[in-house]
Amino acid sequence: MKTKKEVENSLSSLKSELESESSFHERLQNVVEAFGTASSFAKASGISPSGFHRVLKGGEPGLQMLISISKTAGLDLNELVFGESSTGGASNVEGAGIITIPRVDIQLAAGSGALNGDSIEKVEDIPFTKGFLGGKLGRSSADDLIILTADGDSMDPLIADGDLVMIDKKRNTLSDGVYAFVYGGLARVKYLRPTLQGDIEVISQNPTHKDELLKRSDLEDFHIIGKVVWCGHRFS
């Protein structure tokens, strides 16, 4: 970590050492997108939302704001400002050998349904090695990946109550598979199967839970969050 004087010197030469200020703002935008929303990031950082949105739109941040942003993002100042890590440590954007994926506070109902909150707040960052993500999931970055928590036993034994479920938000085109979705204001995880008639079969893995059929005419409130690509199973 640089001293305050070193950081001030770095900031004073920011315009001359970066190709443009947009380089910093692009990195900041990537951090915000990985976190969830600009408002939730500002809240977690203790920054005024209006001031943070001003910086996102191209404004120049002060030193204290940079420090707050770097702490919340898990980046050192050099990496945040210049895109180069001075510590070689991991970051929640793309660290040395480690990629962290945000776990957010939505409870995915693997049962009768759990309310989907009006806002999504990040709970923590969960680290994965690049080798694991590349070898198991074919991914080189955490873009559009989030981790949610399953609640209920309708998908047991595939997904148990309390399991961590990784969702790829880019994979939101429906085909046969396990998806996280919102229907009628409820966030859920189920096996989905589209029919030729345009309906959607909602299938539980636990035989004690009945399957459902969402009619095509009732899909106005249906929204796919993303496809389940990994599950961290918890043993009792």
Side-chain angles (χ1 to χ4, degrees), residues 6-236:
E6 287 173 334
V7 172
E8 290 173 345
N9 290 337
S10 295
L11 290 177
S12 66
S13 60
L14 177 62
K15 291 184 180 180
S16 62
E17 294 196 32
L18 290 177
E19 293 180 357
S20 69
E21 284 192 352
S22 63
S23 296
F24 160 75
H25 289 94
E26 286 171 2
R27 281 191 292 277
L28 182 59
Q29 189 63 51
N30 288 337
V31 168
V32 170
E33 289 176 357
F35 191 95
T37 66
S39 296
S40 62
F41 186 90
K43 181 179 178 181
S45 303
I47 299 172
S48 161
S50 59
F52 187 64
H53 279 87
R54 175 184 59 78
V55 172
L56 278 177
K57 292 179 180 179
E60 183 177 342
L63 175 59
Q64 188 56 52
M65 181 181 287
L66 280 173
I67 292 173
S68 298
I69 291 171
S70 67
K71 286 181 178 179
T72 303
L75 303 171
D76 62 56
L77 283 172
N78 201 46
E79 187 171 12
L80 177 65
V81 176
F82 297 108
E84 299 176 356
S85 176
S86 62
T87 63
S91 77
N92 70 343
V93 178
E94 189 168 338
I98 297 293
I99 297 175
T100 61
I101 298 173
R103 180 170 74 89
V104 300
D105 68 352
I106 292 179
Q107 291 283 325
L108 279 178
S112 60
L115 284 174
N116 179 36
D118 294 332
S119 62
I120 300 175
E121 297 289 341
K122 185 178 77 167
V123 177
E124 61 181 340
D125 287 316
I126 298 179
F128 292 84
T129 65
K130 290 183 179 180
F132 176 85
L133 287 181
K136 299 295 184 181
L137 303 179
R139 296 294 300 263
S140 60
S141 76
D143 293 348
D144 289 302
L145 294 178
I146 58 172
I147 293 176
L148 310 177
T149 304
D151 181 24
D153 65 354
S154 72
M155 292 297 288
D156 197 21
L158 183 64
I159 300 173
D161 184 29
D163 280 355
L164 297 180
V165 181
M166 187 186 298
I167 310 298
D168 187 345
K169 295 190 293 181
K170 281 185 177 179
R171 301 178 66 177
N172 56 9
T173 300
L174 184 60
S175 59
D176 283 23
V178 181
Y179 289 86
F181 62 98
V182 177
Y183 180 67
L186 306 177
R188 309 173 71 182
V189 59
K190 296 279 189 177
Y191 190 98
L192 300 180
R193 178 183 294 151
T195 70
L196 293 176
Q197 294 75 28
D199 304 330
I200 300 175
E201 296 179 2
V202 181
I203 302 170
S204 298
Q205 298 296 297
N206 188 333
T208 64
H209 290 258
K210 294 182 179 180
D211 297 338
E212 305 169 61
L213 181 67
L214 303 183
K215 302 294 290 184
R216 181 178 181 179
S217 58
D218 297 328
L219 295 180
E220 182 177 346
D221 293 332
F222 176 83
H223 170 71
I224 293 177
I225 300 173
K227 192 168 188 177
V228 174
V229 294
W230 175 86
C231 174
H233 191 66
R234 184 183 66 177
F235 291 91
S236 301

